[in-house]
Amino acid sequence: MENQNIDRMKELVRVLTEAGRSYYQEDREIMSNYEYDRMYDELSALEKETGIVLAGSPTMQVGYESLEELPKERHDSPMLSLDKTKELQELKNFAGSHKTLVSWKLDGLTVVLTYRNGALEKAVTRGNGEIGEVITNNARVFQNIPLNIVYQGELILRGEAVITYSDFEKINEEISDVDARYKNPRNLCSGSVRQLNNRITAQRRVRFYAFSLVKADGIDFGNSRNNQFEWLKSQGFEVVEHRITDAEGMEETVHYFAEKIQHFDIPSDGLVLLYDNISYGQSLGRTAKFPRDSIAFKWKDEIAETRLLEVEWSPSRTGLINPVAVFEPVELEGTTVSRASVHNVSIVKSLALGIGDILTVYKANMIIPQIAENLTRSGNLAIPDICPACGKATRIQKMNDVETLMCTNPSCSAKKIKSFTLFVSRDALNIDGLSEATLEKFIAHGFIHTYADIFQLERYREEIISLDGFGEKSYQNLMESIHAAAHTTLSRLIYSLGIPGIGAANAKMICRSFQYDLERIRNAAPEALAEVDGIGEVLAGAVAEYFHNEENDEALELLLKELVLEQPQEENLTEQTLTGKTFVITGTVERFANRNELKAYIESKGGKVTGSVTKKTDYLINNDSASGSSKNKKAKELSIPIISEEEFLKL
């Protein structure tokens, strides 16, 4: 029996070490938090039972060495992990007759700050608990750290660097490539704090919340941690939200935080309980890994039992096909849940999923739905051998011991998500309600294969209404937008096709040059297209190649059956007073609503608007001609006239 226990401990050490290394060093997850905690607890129990702790056991390690090339520094005192529990009664027992502080356990990157003579001198990450990375320049651009404080002695404090969920979402929205977006705020924060260029850190809006005062000589805190927190606030620091309580009030306090986390903007994975009495807490000492004056409370996951209905395989633009479990709806943490990502083929296999299996599901950190266990483990789920988006063959790819499903078709419609996103964009067909995420859903479900399919979405009314985030109202709004978009102009159509190098302005120039005759454009030779102002040989070749491609030609014929091309207004054909002129617009505008409106006006008169000043620029429009902007400087270097709106209108 003892040998079996040791063998099991070896296996647990191996699996947990790999999972920890993946999570902390490589920012990838190979198992859920639920599974990690379960295995960690099993290992701890076996170590207590056997009295043996194997070398390299995660229960004896505080962290991992960083892989970044930042300067490293040893901490004056080790930064220990916290012992943890999921039981409220254990918190009550820990508090006993003592007054305690209960605060958020924030989920970011721990940082140690040092101030001397009232100025920030040094910032070091937690690292492995013994040695961290020096990130002083990055800390200086955190959103809420005071660079100077009133206290002139040596101040050392610890806190958590975090990125809020709202800032995380804004940053991800600016990344057009869905697969390049960050997975969660913790990963983004970790990378942001450890940048070699602090300009990037500043753009990420990192915030710092103090949770421990290590040193501040000469200040009488009345032997109270709470007084330390209040003093830190007086120095300009934001302190982690906390409440004072005792064993009797513990349940009410935990309930307060549990209610608040549902809409809490700062990532948190639990709570921390700390004795308010400083000397008492310090007298308790520490274990090899944990301090004895504090303990972490991990949310006890609300687990529900349900039945697996299906697994959707959702293709993405990289060719990766992601499995999503769909199960009978259950109530978790106050909301109805019916779907959970399974991440990859390896996890599908480890869970031995099969349709009809009985699952237990929970919300990681009370937010993200996850599968805890598969109670049935039938293992009868077939891994698709064809892509649901294009019907072509798939293959299983193995990298770093993780298996994923890939589409082998380079022309898969899911891989063309960028072209569909351009097609529905404001300057193209302008279809509201078809975000990139919605397009991916529709493509994954097989609703969209070509541009024309967008105008046939009414065929999938029932399926669309049943999708997450959709309902009757959303569906109706989408249909109205699609019907409106069916009436469009030739220049919008040309731009929407995504011909390499052809923007909205170039599309308008081509249409004007060919008198808005689509057939002439489709059959034009590269030489004829090259004569269009602003096109040139390269772009002309791209246009001719696009229209002479048989697949593109067939797709366009299908699309034209769905569209009504409006004739351009006569004035746009006759008053081309700016033909051949190239403009750049910078600064604020006064006579137009915005720069886009001014751009549209220029283009309506036959002109062209570009984003940068070059030798081909005829005028730079800037109401502040004396500004030191880079565009102004470039225009002056090239002797290009800088004109105001008033001067432009006189042209």
Side-chain angles (χ1 to χ4, degrees), residues 99 219-228 276-279:
K99 185 166 66 173
I219 304 296
D220 182 8
F221 297 112
N223 197 35
S224 167
R225 294 291 185 191
N226 187 58
N227 289 348
Q228 288 183 337
D276 183 58
N277 188 309
I278 298 173
S279 58

Side-chain angles (χ1 to χ4, degrees), residues 575-594:
E575 298 180 3
Q576 302 298 292
T577 55
L578 300 179
T579 298
K581 300 297 183 183
T582 299
F583 297 82
V584 173
I585 307 169
T586 190
T588 57
V589 294
E590 299 166 358
R591 297 289 298 273
F592 294 83
N594 50 49

Side-chain angles (χ1 to χ4, degrees), residues 23-27 66-70 107-111 125 133 135 138-139 141-142 161-163 168 171 182-206:
Y23 185 79
Y24 287 106
Q25 292 187 331
E26 300 170 11
D27 283 341
S66 171
L67 300 179
E68 299 295 321
E69 296 180 358
L70 290 165
D107 191 17
L109 192 72
T110 299
V111 175
T125 67
E133 296 167 309
I135 51 124
N138 295 342
V141 297
F142 286 1
V162 297
I163 291 177
F168 170 74
I171 291 168
Y182 300 96
K183 293 181 179 178
N184 55 59
R186 187 200 67 81
N187 285 7
L188 175 58
C189 183
S190 177
S192 301
V193 169
R194 296 151 66 200
Q195 287 288 330
L196 297 178
N197 182 347
N198 69 350
R199 179 182 294 181
I200 299 174
T201 307
Q203 294 169 349
R204 303 285 175 76
R205 298 183 59 79
V206 179

Side-chain angles (χ1 to χ4, degrees), residues 88 91-92 95-96 98-100 102 243-257 271 273:
L88 179 61
L91 288 187
K92 293 180 178 180
H98 300 277
K99 185 166 66 173
T100 60
V102 177
R243 284 194 157 197
I244 301 175
T245 190
D246 53 18
E248 186 177 346
M250 191 65 66
E251 186 169 353
E252 179 185 348
T253 301
V254 171
H255 179 72
Y256 163 80
F257 284 102
L271 304 174
L273 184 67

